[in-house]
Amino acid sequence: VLGSRGLGDVYKRQRILITGGSGFIGSALIRYIINQTQDSVINIDKLTYAANQSALKEVENNPRYAFEQVDICDLKAIESIFEKYQPDVVMHLAAESHVDRSITGAADFIQTNIVGTYTLLEVAKNYWYTLDEAKKSAFRFHHISTDEVYGDLSFSEPAFTEHSPYHPSSPYSASKAASDHLVHAWHRTYGLPVIITNSSNNYGAYQHAEKLIPLMISNAIEGKSLPIYGDGQQIRDWLFVEDHVQALYLVLTKGRVGENYNIGGNCEKTNLEVVKTICQLLEELALNKPNHIKYYEDLMTFVKDRPGHDVRYSLDCSKIHAELGWQPQITFEQGLRQTVKWYLENNR
């Protein structure tokens, strides 16, 4: 734990408080900010099972980085963090995020995603009230959310826009939808300057092995079965995590207060397509195939579909492109190849 070590006069730009910065997307965001900007980061993370401190090894000794192990539901602890570090902006990523876990145990999702967001909003609002006019005007509460709040689409329906109604399917997406509504309410009622982003499925290095892509890669490497829900025809829009974090920073610094921005990869794939592409890449890249299989695709198994499984997600990202000039730079083929290589080199 670095605490406040090194924080102070070194800042040329803004102090960014990031919640959930030891998670998959949060750690990628912190690496980007420390390596590509002059901003400083205060990472607060509870360090649940999904955290990965090794994802921050390259920045943990940087004088512009500090870490505090804190639960975002702990009001007093969050108040003391704001008082200690005096952040210029907040990027709120801390969340329980695995749909399967939300189905078997929703309580943690309600607590972290709803109560935790409420706690942060209250502390941020009270802190924001104390700022001078210049800092008050520059302050942002950027809430990072998901496309799953919109529910799902049929195979032929047009993509979700920022004006699509919320229709969440799982306890996870319902808890994220609730947190989005809280953020909007704190803007409307109290004037807190907020921005919300809703992203599609992320993938890349350091993702927890419970998620589809790292699970399939690690299982295949170890010669285990590759479980695919139902017929594998569910469609997701895939976004390389490094594209996502660049979009997040752009929205934080250039986005309009009170607005939502969709961030997607413009890359719809069925789950079956994704798994088959992983298998094909492993045929090319993995030198030590398990002895008991001829082809990696032989490991694919179809299992009973999960309850309430969404059919298709698709995001219309024309707003962020038109307003901020952002679009994904890494194709799915490039990103997945990089990801497979990384897991082959770092499989534990």
Side-chain angles (χ1 to χ4, degrees):
V1 175
L2 295 178
S4 59
R5 186 186 65 81
L7 291 183
D9 294 334
V10 294
Y11 301 119
K12 293 188 177 72
R13 295 185 66 190
Q14 52 189 354
R15 290 185 292 271
I16 304 176
L17 179 66
I18 294 179
T19 72
S22 299
F24 167 51
I25 299 172
S27 60
L29 177 62
I30 290 173
R31 293 194 304 271
Y32 175 78
I33 291 171
I34 295 296
N35 292 330
Q36 302 298 326
T37 80
Q38 290 301 308
D39 295 335
S40 59
V41 170
I42 305 101
N43 170 18
I44 63 174
D45 199 294
K46 187 180 175 182
L47 297 185
T48 67
Y49 77 94
N52 185 352
Q53 290 292 70
S54 65
L56 291 166
K57 269 226 169 309
E58 69 182 78
V59 303
E60 67 182 7
N61 294 316
N62 191 293
R64 291 184 289 114
Y65 174 75
F67 171 70
E68 298 276 358
Q69 185 172 351
V70 170
D71 182 343
I72 59 168
C73 297
D74 185 338
L75 178 71
K76 295 297 181 190
I78 297 298
E79 284 177 337
S80 70
I81 295 282
F82 272 76
E83 188 176 341
K84 179 179 181 179
Y85 292 103
Q86 298 287 302
D88 297 308
V89 293
V90 174
M91 300 184 82
H92 174 35
L93 293 94
E96 294 288 341
S97 67
H98 191 49
V99 175
D100 287 7
R101 284 178 184 263
S102 81
I103 292 169
T104 56
D108 286 345
F109 291 75
I110 304 304
Q111 186 68 17
T112 299
N113 299 356
I114 302 177
V115 177
T117 300
Y118 157 74
T119 304
L120 279 166
L121 285 166
E122 274 295 275
V123 175
K125 176 198 72 176
N126 293 335
Y127 167 77
W128 178 67
Y129 282 159
T130 70
L131 298 176
D132 63 40
E133 284 310 309
K135 291 194 173 196
K136 205 171 183 182
S137 175
F139 186 83
R140 298 288 182 272
F141 186 102
H142 180 182
H143 176 63
I144 286 82
S145 191
T146 171
D147 58 358
E148 296 191 40
V149 297
Y150 299 122
D152 65 349
L153 297 163
S154 70
F155 294 116
S156 59
E157 287 179 284
F160 294 121
T161 72
E162 289 82 359
H163 298 292
S164 295
Y166 278 25
H167 197 241
S169 307
S170 68
Y172 160 61
S173 55
S175 69
K176 288 299 288 184
S179 68
D180 289 11
H181 289 317
L182 288 174
V183 173
H184 275 302
W186 259 244
H187 173 61
R188 177 73 183 264
T189 302
Y190 305 109
L192 186 70
V194 307
I195 304 176
I196 296 178
T197 50
N198 300 82
S199 87
S200 59
N201 282 40
N202 280 224
Y203 69 99
Y206 295 106
Q207 191 169 24
H208 192 275
E210 68 189 2
K211 303 291 186 169
L212 177 69
I213 286 177
L215 177 66
M216 295 301 144
I217 296 170
S218 55
N219 275 18
I221 292 168
E222 295 166 22
K224 298 177 181 176
S225 69
L226 307 180
I228 301 167
Y229 280 130
D231 59 5
Q233 294 306 305
Q234 301 88 359
I235 291 174
R236 301 292 180 261
D237 174 27
W238 291 97
L239 173 65
F240 194 49
V241 69
E242 292 178 24
D243 276 333
H244 184 198
V245 299
Q246 291 179 40
L248 291 179
Y249 187 79
L250 184 64
V251 169
L252 175 75
T253 53
K254 306 289 187 188
R256 288 187 291 136
V257 167
E259 294 293 318
N260 282 59
Y261 293 90
N262 285 343
I263 306 174
N266 192 27
C267 175
E268 292 185 43
K269 303 278 183 188
T270 68
N271 289 344
L272 187 58
E273 279 181 282
V274 171
V275 177
K276 284 187 172 182
T277 306
I278 289 168
C279 291
Q280 290 159 10
L281 284 166
L282 286 170
E283 294 290 349
E284 177 190 342
L285 299 171
L287 300 177
N288 300 308
K289 186 182 291 182
N291 291 328
H292 65 283
I293 60 165
K294 186 174 181 183
Y295 300 109
Y296 283 104
E297 284 193 18
D298 296 342
L299 296 169
M300 294 193 313
T301 16
F302 293 91
V303 298
K304 183 181 177 183
D305 209 352
R306 74 179 176 211
H309 201 170
D310 287 337
V311 175
R312 172 176 164 250
Y313 304 142
S314 179
L315 286 180
D316 180 334
C317 300
S318 54
K319 178 176 177 177
I320 190 173
H321 178 62
E323 288 192 16
L324 305 179
W326 179 87
Q327 57 187 9
Q329 300 300 304
I330 306 294
T331 67
F332 184 69
E333 292 68 26
Q334 292 168 332
L336 193 60
R337 178 176 288 270
Q338 281 186 42
T339 303
V340 169
K341 281 183 175 178
W342 186 89
Y343 281 98
L344 284 169
E345 292 165 7
N346 294 275
N347 191 51
R348 290 174 293 281

